[in-house]
């Protein structure tokens, strides 16, 4: 692993440690209330990110995306196995879920297993190991990563939440509520608006583009400190089996699945294959925690999975690089 990637990992852990220290010292206050009304500074900041910073990032990304120049074959080779594992984990967890379990639980576990840290770790990894050619491919993966996975997961979680609410309209009422909550959503709505602006051919005004870029840059540092604050407020989970299982699926099964589909299914090789396999091998990204906090479900387990997978990535990254060099 290159020194650039190592220093990025170290910087991430320092940012998380700062967030943990702030939460531990209760400088922003402590948790208040209980049950559905429970709140804490980490959740408040998470809502700020979910309703302001992430929508700005997604809208700007989709509005500026050059759809015609994207390497669709490479993207398909990455996203098909990722979405397959997402739906598999979601389906298994939904089948295993108990009656009184939170409806959002299957979707939260699915995002923890599939949503990688493509920005903070992925960019320096691609640039340091694969150079400009690899970084260009990785950037295209980033451009579709959040809007693809978050849109699918939002649809799934809103459908489960609609099912959990007793609606007088039966199936029609459930579907109508799902569609409304999926479209009028801080993730999906900016994506649709950005794609509409993109299709119209109208360029973003310079001032608006500057504002969106400024807001979007706040996502990374805020999310990293939120991980540390969440550890301080929620603590480590008592049972580590589930956390390590999620980390193993993210660090081992997902890249293996992408390698299988991309190399033997799509015939990819060389730098394109290496880039998307390493993108799949990245640890869980901080957006998984924002998603969990949005739906008030498994925040502690998701936080621990992010930290554990980032620590274990130091061991699994050289393993996957060795496998790719052998192929």
């Amino acid at each position: 692993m290159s020194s650039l990637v190592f220093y990025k990992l170290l910087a991430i852990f320092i940012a998380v440690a700062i967030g943990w220290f702030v939460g531990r010292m209760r400088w922003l206050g402590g948790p208040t209330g209980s049950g559905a009304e429970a709140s804490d500074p980490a959740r408040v900041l998470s809502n700020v990110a979910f309703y302001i910073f992430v929508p700005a990032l997604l809208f700007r990304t989709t509005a500026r995306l050059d759809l015609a120049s994207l390497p669709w074959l490479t993207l398909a080779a990455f996203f098909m196995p990722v979405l397959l594992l997402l739906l598999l984990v979601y389906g298994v967890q939904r089948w295993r879920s108990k009656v009184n379990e939170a409806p959002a639980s299957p979707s939260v576990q699915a995002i923890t297993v599939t949503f990688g840290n493509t920005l903070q770790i992925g960019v320096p990894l691609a640039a340091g190991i694969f150079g400009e050619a690899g970084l260009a491919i990785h950037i295209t993966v980033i451009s579709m990563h959040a809007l693809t996975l978050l849109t699918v997961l939002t649809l799934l979680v809103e459908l489960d939440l609609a099912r959990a609410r007793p609606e007088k309209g039966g199936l029609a009422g459930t579907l109508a509520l799902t569609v409304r909550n999926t479209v009028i959503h801080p993730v999906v709505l900016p994506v649709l608006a950005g794609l509409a602006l993109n299709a119209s051919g109208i360029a973003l005004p310079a001032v608006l583009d500057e504002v969106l870029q400024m807001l979007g840059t706040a996502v990374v540092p805020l999310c990293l400190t939120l991980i540390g604050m969440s550890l301080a407020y929620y603590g480590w989970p008592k049972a580590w089996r589930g956390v390590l299982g999620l980390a193993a699926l993210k660090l081992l099964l997902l890249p293996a699945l992408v390698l299988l589909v991309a190399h033997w299914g799509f015939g990819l090789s060389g730098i394109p294959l290496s880039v998307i396999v390493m993108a799949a091998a990245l640890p869980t990204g901080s957006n998984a925690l924002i998603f969990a906090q949005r739906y008030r479900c498994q925040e502690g387990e998701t936080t621990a999975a992010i930290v554990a997978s980032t620590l274990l990535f130091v061991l699994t990254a050289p393993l996957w690089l060795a496998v790719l060099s052998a192929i």
Side-chain angles (χ1 to χ4, degrees):
M1 184 179 296
S2 68
S3 58
L4 179 62
V5 177
F6 173 78
Y7 288 134
K8 286 291 183 181
L9 285 170
L10 182 59
I12 286 173
F13 286 124
I14 291 175
V16 170
I18 291 173
W20 178 86
F21 184 76
V22 170
R24 190 72 174 175
M25 297 298 292
R26 297 297 193 263
W27 284 351
L28 301 181
T32 59
S34 61
E37 300 301 322
S39 181
D40 57 63
R43 182 170 281 118
V44 172
L45 291 177
S46 176
N47 286 335
V48 172
F50 202 82
Y51 284 99
I52 299 176
F53 300 138
V54 171
L57 179 64
L58 292 176
F59 177 75
R60 184 174 185 269
T61 300
T62 51
R64 293 164 53 91
L65 197 61
D66 186 2
L67 298 174
S69 64
L70 292 178
W72 290 107
L73 182 65
T74 303
L75 290 174
F78 175 78
F79 283 106
M80 282 184 61
V82 171
L83 289 174
L84 175 64
L85 183 60
L86 183 153
L87 294 174
L88 181 62
V89 171
Y90 167 82
V92 170
Q93 293 301 323
R94 191 167 185 276
W95 174 69
R96 293 175 56 186
S97 61
K98 301 176 182 178
V99 177
N100 59 348
E101 192 169 352
S105 177
S107 297
V108 170
Q109 298 220 358
I111 193 174
T112 306
V113 169
T114 55
F115 201 102
N117 192 334
T118 55
L119 188 58
Q120 300 105 306
I121 300 177
V123 168
L125 179 72
I129 296 177
F130 305 115
E132 291 185 6
L135 181 60
I137 297 172
H138 184 77
I139 291 298
T140 63
V141 172
I142 291 178
S143 67
M144 301 292 292
H145 187 248
L147 65 93
T148 300
L149 299 188
L150 288 177
T151 300
V152 173
L153 286 161
T154 297
L155 176 62
L156 293 175
V157 72
E158 290 296 341
L159 182 60
D160 286 338
L161 291 173
R163 285 198 194 99
R165 303 186 189 105
E167 293 294 324
K168 295 182 179 180
L171 179 60
T174 299
L175 291 176
L177 182 62
T178 301
V179 171
R180 185 188 69 187
N181 290 345
T182 301
V183 174
I184 311 297
H185 191 276
V187 167
V188 178
L189 191 59
V191 168
L192 295 177
L195 289 175
L197 184 65
N198 193 320
S200 70
I202 302 173
L204 279 173
V207 175
L208 178 59
D209 184 64
E210 184 68 24
V211 171
L212 293 173
Q213 183 180 19
M214 179 178 59
L215 293 174
T217 54
V219 172
V220 172
L222 180 58
C223 288
L224 291 178
T225 52
L226 274 175
I227 294 171
M229 291 181 65
S230 298
L231 281 176
Y233 288 123
Y234 308 137
W236 292 96
K238 296 180 180 179
W240 275 88
R241 183 177 178 181
V243 171
L244 294 178
L246 293 173
L249 290 175
K250 181 66 188 75
L251 298 174
L252 299 175
L253 180 58
L254 183 57
L257 193 59
V258 170
L259 176 61
L260 178 67
V261 172
H263 185 56
W264 285 278
F266 285 81
L268 292 184
S269 60
I271 289 182
L273 175 66
S274 299
V275 170
I276 63 173
V277 170
M278 291 310 298
L282 292 169
T284 302
S286 52
N287 275 335
L289 176 59
I290 294 180
F291 189 87
Q293 289 182 325
R294 154 75 176 177
Y295 294 103
R296 297 177 178 266
C297 178
Q298 297 183 334
E299 295 101 324
E301 184 179 33
T302 303
T303 302
I306 293 171
V307 176
S309 63
T310 305
L311 286 168
L312 293 172
F313 179 70
V314 177
L315 302 176
T316 58
L319 171 66
W320 285 112
L321 288 172
V323 170
L324 290 167
S325 63
I327 293 177

